[in-house]
Amino acid sequence: MAAHLKKRVYEEFTKVVQPQEEIATKKLRLTKPSKSAALHIDLCKATSPADALQYLLQFARKPVEAESVEGVVRILLEHYYKENDPSVRLKIASLLGLLSKTAGFSPDCIMDDAINILQNEKSHQVLAQLLDTLLAIGTKLPENQAIQMRLVDVACKHLTDTSHGVRNKCLQLLGNLGSLEKSVTKDAEGLAARDVQKIIGDYFSDQDPRVRTAAIKAMLQLHERGLKLHQTIYNQACKLLSDDYEQVRSAAVQLIWVVSQLYPESIVPIPSSNEEIRLVDDAFGKICHMVSDGSWVVRVQAAKLLGSMEQVSSHFLEQTLDKKLMSDLRRKRTAHERAKELYSSGEFSSGRKWGDDAPKEEVDTGAVNLIESGACGAFVHGLEDEMYEVRIAAVEALCMLAQSSPSFAEKCLDFLVDMFNDEIEEVRLQSIHTMRKISNNITLREDQLDTVLAVLEDSSRDIREALHELLCCTNVSTKEGIHLALVELLKNLTKYPTDRDSIWKCLKFLGSRHPTLVLPLVPELLSTHPFFDTAEPDMDDPAYIAVLVLIFNAAKTCPTMPALFSDHTFRHYAYLRDSLSHLVPALRLPGRKLVSSAVSPSIIPQEDPSQQFLQQSLERVYSLQHLDPQGAQELLEFTIRDLQRLGELQSELAGVADFSATYLRCQLLLIKALQEKLWNVAAPLYLKQSDLASAAAKQIMEETYKMEFMYSGVENKQVVIIHHMRLQAKALQLIVTARTTRGLDPLFGMCEKFLQEVDFFQRYFIADLPHLQDSFVDKLLDLMPRLMTSKPAEVVKILQTMLRQSAFLHLPLPEQIHKASATIIEPAGESDNPLRFTSGLVVALDVDATLEHVQDPQNTVKVQVLYPDGQAQMIHPKPADFRNPGPGRHRLITQVYLSHTAWTGCAMKL
Amino acid sequence: MPEIRVTPLGAGQDVGRSCILVSIAGKNVMLDCGMHMGFNDDRRFPDFSYITQNGRLTDFLDCVIISHFHLDHCGALPYFSEMVGYDGPIYMTHPTQAICPILLEDYRKIAVDKKGEANFFTSQMIKDCMKKVVAVHLHQTVQVDDELEIKAYYAGHVLGAAMFQIKVGSESVVYTGDYNMTPDRHLGAAWIDKCRPNLLITESTYATTIRDSKRCRERDFLKKVHETVERGGKVLIPVFALGRAQELCILLETFWERMNLKVPIYFSTGLTEKANHYYKLFIPWTNQKIRKTFVQRNMFEFKHIKAFDRAFADNPGPMVVFATPGMLHAGQSLQIFRKWAGNEKNMVIMPGYCVQGTVGHKILSGQRKLEMEGRQVLEVKMQVEYMSFSAHADAKGIMQLVGQAEPESVLLVHGEAKKMEFLKQKIEQELRLLPEAKKPRLLHGTLIMKDSNFRLVSSEQALKELGLAEHQLRFTCRVHLHDTRKEQETALRVYSHLKSVLKDHCVQHLPDGSVTVESVLLQAAAPSEDPGTKVLLVSWTYQDEELGSFLTSLLKKGLPQAPS
């Protein structure tokens, strides 16, 4: 992988530098010919309107610079006055608008002209376009009050136009430019103070639905710009809810929502009775009603907005889940109510009988309300909608409302659980996520848990994993519930063995959340017997591990539990504690000091000791300089071993530890290489033995590349040192080659290349050079003039002495460093059944891998397939195959197509 | 206003034999032409002799419309068109046209071959009848003749079910057929635009029922099936071949897919294969999910559901079998039931209503020992479950549709009279269907009668056309004011007073001392006998009556005291 990364970086590097220059030169050239002149000539040449239109279209494709805009505009206007064809005028008008948007051009100069031509224009289309142009001008000059005033005036004048397009644009203009404060509008000239809101409000009852929509949109625009809308609009908007056109209704729903957020507490009367309710409640009821609208666009809109109405009173909120059932006029209980009753009566499901849901009491015919004006059953309808867009919106809204109201969360649980069986996977996933978000507020009943767990058998991996996450944070009420969950999870495990990690993690949380519920289950789960010893279970069985994970995590907060363990359980604990330390917590085990004390010191949650340990071991390495070579080597070896172990134990320090260990290993290799006796031997003799030194050089190079590219969060400080190390390796390589090859010709080239590298290093890291006191490079640069002139043999000699004398550079630890890593979960290694496929045909192999701390995986990660005959194939996964479950983590689930001519079986590499 | 006359020949206040005659502005349309399941005599078909005693039906009916392929909506069609005789157009949707003949043929076979009835329509008659069918698309406006047009809307219920709007001139009627307002696994919900018909004829099967969420039902069903097959039991689901059968198939198929189950599902063959084929073809008539995914995979191409063979019933191990007929009264489903009834691990799920007297009804009412033919006694040990999967709109759904269409009046059919009474009350109470069009409205204009033509034009245009001069009708009124000042000043005071009161109107003070408000003229005069009072002459045109009377009443209250 390092190789790819390197390659990519170089590629990018070259890409970035060159094009910039090209673009710059191009731009300069473009500015030369005068745009306006060319356009003028073109337009004069045009004989027919179609021609002129063509020229204008061509002109519109090219950008115009700020300085020449003015001239172009003049010419366009000139032609506008002359032009008879409305379509050309239309195009000119739109060009004016486009040009006035040019950055750096102040459009106030063309406004007068634009308003002028507006007054003489007859064509409705051109009028609408001109108003659009004015809108562009107006938005460009937000500070200029006078201009805005004028524009608003113009818009008001044209509001009475017969064409809907013109009225539309006028309203848009009013919405965007209508002044926010009334006081400002009172001008000395006696311009009547215009109340923009009232003017726009008048068009709510326009005959054209498009104009009505535009009026509502303009009102919303005013709101967005910070104008406080009047409460009177509410009644007008409510009338529009029963409009014939969906766009009007959709916009009206939005407007009602806005008003309800502005005046939640004001009181409105209920028509046909003398009661009064809060406005937000009334609006909530009205929007709920729109959830059963005829158009799905409106339904989606309404369902979405419901979620953000948090001020609504709980009485209304709970109505949304209410649906009175009846059968032949007799009241019937819903399935949810029956399930609840069954549960609370302590009776367990007896299976449905004919007539189990037989209706009970008679319903008073007068009291049944078939079309509720209020919120009744809005979510029941929304969740059963035909379009999944509406259902998703409803689930989202439920989620938001439930987060703000615990009692509502409890009530909506039944409905959310029902959504787990939706026909569209997206909806199922969404409802599982929703449930997870509100899980703090709820406790699952057993029958609900049952339904939830049934989804564990879903064949979609996303669904199962989402469900595991949900189980991580749910509260279960009974021990039977825990048992049920465990059984189902184990079933899941046998059916989909790939879910292993996710299930273990889920059980970990399940155990630590419900220690008291797990306690009574322990003997059964461990199948211990009060009198007899039972057979020791297989330690490698994932199901057994799963059970142990649950129990150990429960035991953490339940000190009485370990007493129930049998001997082998303790042994297994020690094993798991070591092998799966992220899943098994440290336990205080009585009489088991050995087990706990051996491991616990470094693990106890506070991370200071390990951090300290890391620091100390690295500081020890400082003294390297003063030790004899033998001692230095030993010290390095020990430190590397310590660091590696630390990295394994402390996952959060793994990045730092690995990083430093790699660096130290490089240093160790360098020292070892220099320690070789062969340096002293005459050249011809050690020809064969030089392998070690050159191998060391090669390895150092490789490691430095890894350090540079495989860790995220590497800072410039570290990069310098890594490069420095690489430079040393290159020097070593040069020396070795010099010693082993005869003849100077190749050496010349190498020497030159090396010196170039040094030069490159110097140029790139010039700022950091002061930090490199006493180092190899420091000395090297001192001698640079001499090196440039001397012969290769001499260069080599100088380098050799310098390598030996140079000081060890201390590697400063970066703040945040993580090793980029990839684990292939599937296909599992050492699979017993090799993949067989017919030669020449293609077989698809599922690949599932977790990538940690990889930046931009869509572009950087590739899958390599190694065939047994040594042939390798690079495959670039699709961007859609990457999922992002958490920060710094990526999940690659893709299919790799294999095809080969002769072999069976293959290896895989990422 | 032309009247709309509706005559139900069947399914007026009961279910079955749907057939409704509608006369609208001189056009006669027959809606549906169904048979009745409950009768085997002449009563099973509608009484077509009502339409005409002598003379061909074709002369009386402009067209026939079939809403969907259920036999109680189309069963009498070959009898009607071939035996009674009708040659006009028959309109139905494409899926109905495709599936209808299969069901008719099946019905004919049972009646003729099994029951041995004579004088029944033949296969050839079915074919001839289907030749008269004109297929329509959803939302396609079909011009039956110059004046009559029909338009189909989606109705849910079964594949190809449609609601029809019948329109003659400005009069329109919407007939819903059977419809469903809640979407299910393979069909969407009924939908209609705000077409504001004069009359909405709607079914009302579930007029007094409000149903629970379908999700609970589905979940229960799947859970039951799943548990049974996991235990190793066999599940029998008796169904009728079309409609609910496909719904349940999709439900089980997707569940099997999701849960990765391997237990076999069988479907007893016959009619179903052909019908399934049509289901695969008419994807645009299904719900959103199937429409969106059929490019990858057609949901009706079942992966897990295979054709059933008689021998499979004895296979060991779990299985799920869909078998016809749905009420366990005969045929394959009954055979399988007898084989499996003895094992308590097995289960039978009845997905619909069972008529009294059938085995289905007996076991549902809890009978555990059944007498079969030949004095055998069958002990039923298997579990018996009931799940209602019905595709009719419930009371809420009906109200919702009525609300969507906004009709002037509603006619309830296809349901029980008692239940309709309740729904009628509710519709009157909650929707307040008072047609707005019948409210009196003010209109200014002139009716011109010329060459036996009527035209309504604006008065100005009429005057112009007839070359007449306009007469003006003015009201005048005197108002006495107490004011000692001169006329001019009085007029000025009146002017300023009116100006302050009538902000929206154009109030002008003319140089000759009079004041005008729009067309109202006010003049102040001083009567010779009393210098203390001034007489204000107010005069206004007939058109401005409102303003004029307002002004006089205002002025009679007197002027405000001037700041002298």
Side-chain angles (χ1 to χ4, degrees), chain A residues 857-859 876-884 890-894:
Chain A
Q858 276 89 337
N859 294 321
H876 204 137
K878 285 177 287 190
D881 290 335
F882 293 94
R883 289 139 212 247
N884 196 350
H890 288 275
R891 181 89 183 269
L892 170 67
I893 298 175
T894 187

Side-chain angles (χ1 to χ4, degrees), chain A residues 801-874:
Chain A
T801 43
M802 274 199 313
L803 264 183
R804 279 156 185 272
Q805 286 166 1
S806 61
F808 169 65
L809 273 181
H810 179 58
L811 178 74
L813 283 182
E815 300 280 316
Q816 285 271 323
I817 192 159
H818 297 288
K819 187 175 183 178
S821 64
T823 346
I824 300 181
I825 301 167
E826 204 181 346
E830 293 125 34
S831 169
D832 287 338
N833 16 328
L835 277 172
R836 289 175 200 287
F837 52 92
T838 321
S839 73
L841 294 182
V842 177
V843 72
L845 178 64
D846 290 313
V847 177
D848 179 358
T850 320
L851 311 173
E852 305 248 11
H853 308 296
V854 179
Q855 283 151 344
D856 191 19
Q858 276 89 337
N859 294 321
T860 49
V861 175
K862 291 189 178 81
V863 179
Q864 185 184 34
V865 184
L866 277 179
Y867 294 94
D869 60 349
Q871 203 177 325
Q873 192 187 355
M874 286 293 177

Side-chain angles (χ1 to χ4, degrees), chain A residues 242 244 294 323 326 328-329 335 352 354 365 368 370-371 383-384 388-389 418 422 458-459 495, chain B residues 185 188 191 194 196 208-213 215 219-220 258-259 288-289 364 385 419 426 430:
Chain A
S242 52
D244 284 8
K323 190 180 179 186
M326 61 174 194
D328 290 346
L329 285 179
R352 169 92 56 96
W354 161 265
T365 48
V368 182
L370 289 180
I371 295 185
L383 293 176
E384 268 186 58
Y388 81 93
E389 290 91 340
D418 277 350
D422 196 90
D458 201 294
S459 59
K495 203 163 174 185
Chain B
R185 290 276 165 163
W191 180 86
K194 242 180 223 176
R196 299 200 174 89
T208 54
T209 301
I210 301 175
R211 274 180 302 165
D212 199 357
S213 130
R215 284 176 199 285
R219 199 186 57 208
D220 271 356
R258 257 183 69 195
M259 298 302 181
Q288 186 197 23
K289 152 105 182 169
L364 277 182
E385 299 287 346
K419 296 179 179 178
K426 285 292 141 192
E430 291 180 28

Side-chain angles (χ1 to χ4, degrees), chain A residues 235-246:
Chain A
N235 286 330
Q236 286 178 294
C238 288
K239 270 181 214 134
L240 289 172
L241 281 182
S242 52
D243 199 276
D244 284 8
Y245 293 84
E246 63 175 31

